[in-house]
């Protein structure tokens, strides 16, 4: 980290955070849920050896308003787990590291698990992988069939709207959009892609009072999970000049 300058910005993609007493194997998609202690270790490393940047810093660099600092690192959290408020935010505050939290509003509004967590618990990880290959309407029907309420003690629970507002109130946190329901956008017709992207932007703006200016593509593999047409839609929705 100290000897090899980054060619750009290193974006660290976290999801949920598990309590230190929660065994790793107890979580669905356990590789996506870092422990609070490990997150603290990594934030300490970022603070000591790198330069943490905010979403605002990233947009400014991407649009040519100012250069990136040396060894720039941007911390992000995908989906919108309640553990980001409960466990991650205290760590970010301790080390004064900003973060962007990309949120899918539909599970937040309805108090249900993210579809992949529900399917993984009932059918296993292979079923999640298979569903990611389905056309949008078939995927939507299957995800509804496996829908699971999120209980208060559930470590996979999404944020509530009130919790999201509390998270967004932190000066260290910026809220980004991540579609409404977390589909694989490349499997959806363009009109459905636009609905997922536009509605997530509109709902999040209504909840937190500021329209997201950053967007994360679910699953995130260029050409596989989203297309050039998807990128064009995102650019239109977020407005000219915003980073996507």
């Amino acid at each position: 980290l100290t000897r090899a300058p980054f060619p750009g910005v290193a974006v660290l993609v976290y999801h949920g955070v598990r309590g230190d007493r929660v065994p790793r194997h107890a979580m669905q998609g356990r590789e996506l849920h870092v422990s609070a202690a490990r997150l603290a270790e990594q934030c300490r490393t970022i603070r000591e050896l790198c330069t943490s940047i905010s979403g605002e810093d990233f947009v400014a660099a991407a649009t040519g308003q100012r250069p990136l600092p040396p060894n720039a690192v941007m911390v992000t959290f995908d989906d919108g787990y309640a553990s980001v408020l409960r466990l991650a935010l205290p760590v970010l505050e301790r080390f004064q590291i900003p973060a962007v939290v990309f949120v899918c509003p539909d599970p937040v509004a309805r108090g249900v698990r993210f579809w992949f967590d529900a399917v993984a618990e009932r059918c296993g990880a292979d079923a999640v992988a298979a569903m990611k290959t389905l056309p949008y309407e078939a995927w939507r029907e299957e995800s509804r069939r496996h829908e699971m309420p999120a209980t208060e003690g559930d470590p996979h629970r999404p944020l509530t709207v009130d919790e999201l507002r509390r998270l967004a109130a932190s000066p260290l946190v910026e809220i980004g959009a991540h579609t409404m329901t977390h589909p694989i956008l490349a499997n959806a017709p363009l009109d459905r892609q636009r609905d997922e992207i536009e509605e997530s932007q509109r709902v999040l703006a209504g909840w937190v009072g500021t329209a997201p200016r950053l967007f994360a593509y679910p699953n995130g593999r260029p050409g596989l999970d989203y297309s050039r047409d998807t990128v064009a839609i995102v650019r239109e929705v977020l407005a000219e000049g915003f980073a996507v």
Side-chain angles (χ1 to χ4, degrees):
L1 288 174
T2 57
R3 295 178 182 176
F6 297 173
V9 55
V11 180
L12 303 187
V13 184
Y14 296 97
H15 291 75
V17 181
R18 60 182 170 85
D20 294 328
R21 295 184 179 181
V22 176
R24 185 171 179 266
H25 61 78
M27 304 289 294
Q28 303 298 332
R30 55 186 179 270
E31 69 279 2
L32 300 180
H33 298 271
V34 66
S35 70
R38 180 59 60 85
L39 178 63
E41 291 173 4
Q42 294 173 357
C43 285
R44 181 181 295 108
T45 299
I46 294 168
R47 175 54 56 198
E48 292 176 353
L49 300 179
C50 307
T51 307
S52 58
I53 67 169
S54 66
E56 180 181 355
D57 296 326
F58 179 72
V59 171
T63 54
Q65 299 174 53
R66 58 177 179 265
L68 285 169
N71 288 358
V73 172
M74 185 169 73
V75 171
T76 71
F77 293 87
D78 279 2
D79 305 329
Y81 286 97
S83 60
V84 177
L85 174 67
R86 186 170 61 88
L87 297 174
L89 184 58
V91 174
L92 299 175
E93 291 173 337
R94 176 180 172 190
F95 294 99
Q96 284 298 289
I97 291 179
V100 183
V101 181
F102 294 101
V103 178
C104 295
D106 182 77
V108 172
R110 298 193 301 115
V112 297
R113 274 192 178 191
F114 299 106
W115 73 265
F116 39 85
D117 288 330
V119 172
E121 177 154 321
R122 287 178 170 160
C123 306
D126 289 346
V128 174
M131 281 182 61
K132 289 180 179 180
T133 68
L134 294 175
Y136 179 81
E137 294 300 339
W139 161 81
R140 194 172 183 181
E141 182 178 341
E142 276 295 288
S143 63
R144 286 174 173 170
R145 190 167 69 86
H146 291 288
E147 190 169 281
M148 182 182 296
T151 59
E152 176 59 33
D154 185 352
H156 302 89
R157 180 175 69 82
L159 294 154
T160 65
V161 175
D162 180 64
E163 287 171 336
L164 175 61
R165 288 176 175 142
R166 286 160 53 197
L167 187 62
S170 169
L172 291 173
V173 173
E174 179 170 341
I175 302 301
H178 197 38
T179 71
M180 282 297 292
T181 61
H182 206 285
I184 302 301
L185 287 166
N187 296 340
L190 292 182
D191 60 337
R192 288 295 196 180
Q193 293 190 43
R194 182 175 292 277
D195 289 345
E196 286 275 351
I197 294 164
E198 284 185 339
E199 188 70 1
S200 66
Q201 178 90 346
R202 182 189 67 78
V203 172
L204 289 171
W207 285 348
V208 304
T210 304
R213 53 186 176 173
L214 291 168
F215 181 90
Y217 301 96
N219 237 47
R221 297 174 300 171
L224 295 174
D225 298 318
Y226 64 96
S227 66
R228 291 182 179 178
D229 289 333
T230 313
V231 175
I233 294 170
V234 171
R235 288 190 183 278
E236 290 176 19
V237 171
L238 296 190
E240 185 94 17
F242 284 145
V244 294

